[in-house]
Amino acid sequence: MLQHFTWQQFLTAALILTLIWYVGVILIFYRKELNDFLNGKRTPATPPEPLPHVWDEDFEDEPLSEEENLIGKPILPEGMSRLSMAQFGFAQNVKETAIEDEDKGTWLGLVPDVLEELKSIFHILEKENGNKEDFISLFGLVSGKYPKIRNTPNQQAINDYIRENLPFKISDGELDNLWI
């Protein structure tokens, strides 16, 4: 049955029925506003006054004095006080003060960079079925690129990371020789 209607006929019928619907709603629910609009009457811009409540008579508009107030003044819990913004600040972290600027650069830049290089080496070794000689040649590039890692506490942590992720065994002596 719907195959006999074109899209144009459908949209025209939908538009006409929608207009009839909205005209009916306006005439039923907004008749007074429509009459005021057609007669040129302006509606007040101020909102209407709220309806009075039964309990409004019990309360006064003026605030209570301190003696009449049942709750009293609010106080802060014991041990707390209010501070202005100038009095507020954070103490420097003890670990940050102990780390020198050079060590800070190592922690923030060099170690993560070395770990990323090692991840790419591990990926290459896995993909190409690399052996210990391949790893030694690839790691020579990394140790030459990051000489500041040598003889630091980070070197041992990186060596442990290497041992965990290599598919073959490597000794401590071999790892220490790689950093030279």
Side-chain angles (χ1 to χ4, degrees), residues 110-127:
L110 292 179
V111 173
D113 291 343
V114 170
L115 293 176
E116 284 301 315
E117 296 269 351
L118 287 173
K119 287 178 187 177
S120 64
I121 289 174
F122 297 147
H123 181 70
I124 291 170
L125 290 175
E126 182 182 332
K127 196 175 190 180

Side-chain angles (χ1 to χ4, degrees), residues 28-102:
I28 293 172
F29 294 107
Y30 298 100
R31 184 177 307 152
K32 182 180 178 199
E33 289 85 357
L34 181 63
N35 285 336
D36 291 344
F37 178 73
L38 293 176
N39 292 334
K41 292 182 182 178
R42 294 275 180 193
T43 57
T46 59
E49 187 176 319
L51 295 174
H53 298 286
V54 176
W55 60 83
D56 281 344
E57 297 170 1
D58 297 339
F59 297 104
E60 299 174 7
D61 290 336
E62 57 193 56
L64 299 173
S65 67
E66 277 189 46
E67 295 173 0
E68 295 174 338
N69 193 351
L70 297 176
I71 298 176
K73 285 185 179 180
I75 60 170
L76 293 174
E78 186 177 328
M80 292 184 74
S81 61
R82 293 195 187 273
L83 299 175
S84 68
M85 289 301 291
Q87 296 172 326
F88 183 77
F90 291 102
Q92 192 170 12
N93 192 349
V94 176
K95 289 183 180 179
E96 287 182 14
T97 57
I99 298 175
E100 297 174 7
D101 289 337
E102 184 177 320

